[in-house]
Amino acid sequence: MKTLGIFRHAKSDWNDARLRDFDRPLNTRGRVGAAVMGKHIREHAVGWKRILASPAVRVTQTIEIAGEAAGETPPITWDRRIYLASSAALMDVLREQDGAPRSILLVGHNPGLEDLIFDLVPGNGENPLRDIVEDKFPTASYAVIALDIEDWSDLRAGIGRLEHLVRPRDLDPSLGPTVTD
């Protein structure tokens, strides 16, 4: 059995039009959301053995702030392939992981992360958490999927159970949607 965590980067800043998408930092709301989610991730106590993450600035800042709030950050592997990756590309990255880590936290971007949830977790109408993701997987959302596999190389569609889902607004209503979301 393996456990996959999915953590979408926090809200980014769009104010500097000169910045490349890759270089956009977090905005103030994103910094607050990353800290709130970092505390929640620690309290949820999965014990992530490895973090795989996009090296985009908004992801690195999300991890840094969440890690400070949690008081720990497991080893991180920065992988440029995760930046704006599709679900298929994310599955390929996960399949490359050796069989040792029982838990991996994947930190990156939509729509790939959301699509990965849809691909791994069957949409049979019996999982209310998946139904929430179908509505929206907003910035700084955190999901945990149980995978009935022994090795990451065995990862394939339809084998996951979405066991946990938290959005920043679930912990702090002020982090909920605004007119610009």
Side-chain angles (χ1 to χ4, degrees), residues 2-149:
K2 301 288 186 191
T3 304
L4 174 63
I6 296 177
F7 186 25
R8 185 176 173 202
H9 68 77
K11 194 92 174 138
S12 60
D13 189 344
W14 290 83
N15 288 333
D16 188 346
R18 296 170 299 164
L19 288 177
R20 296 180 312 153
D21 179 75
F22 187 88
D23 297 323
R24 283 190 294 115
L26 297 181
N27 65 17
T28 301
R29 186 170 147 203
R31 291 178 174 283
V32 173
V36 166
M37 295 307 292
K39 289 177 189 171
H40 173 76
I41 291 169
R42 180 194 68 225
E43 291 165 1
H44 187 241
V46 169
W48 300 108
K49 301 301 182 196
R50 182 176 299 164
I51 295 176
L52 299 176
S54 161
V57 170
R58 59 192 178 273
V59 174
T60 63
Q61 289 180 339
T62 297
I63 292 171
E64 177 184 326
I65 293 166
E68 286 174 10
E72 65 179 333
T73 303
I76 302 170
T77 300
W78 304 103
D79 191 327
R80 179 99 183 188
R81 295 174 299 166
I82 297 170
Y83 174 66
L84 302 180
S86 67
S87 173
L90 294 171
M91 278 206 242
D92 287 344
V93 169
L94 289 165
R95 284 186 195 110
E96 291 174 4
Q97 304 308 304
D98 60 35
R102 72 168 176 75
S103 60
I104 293 176
L105 180 61
L106 181 63
V107 189
H109 313 266
N110 260 0
L113 293 179
E114 185 175 289
D115 290 343
L116 182 61
I117 294 170
F118 297 149
D119 288 345
L120 291 174
V121 179
N124 54 16
E126 296 178 13
N127 189 325
L129 296 178
R130 189 183 190 282
D131 295 342
I132 292 170
V133 175
E134 284 183 14
D135 181 45
K136 188 173 184 184
F137 190 65
T139 53
S141 290
Y142 168 70
V144 177
I145 300 173
L147 301 165
D148 191 17
I149 56 174

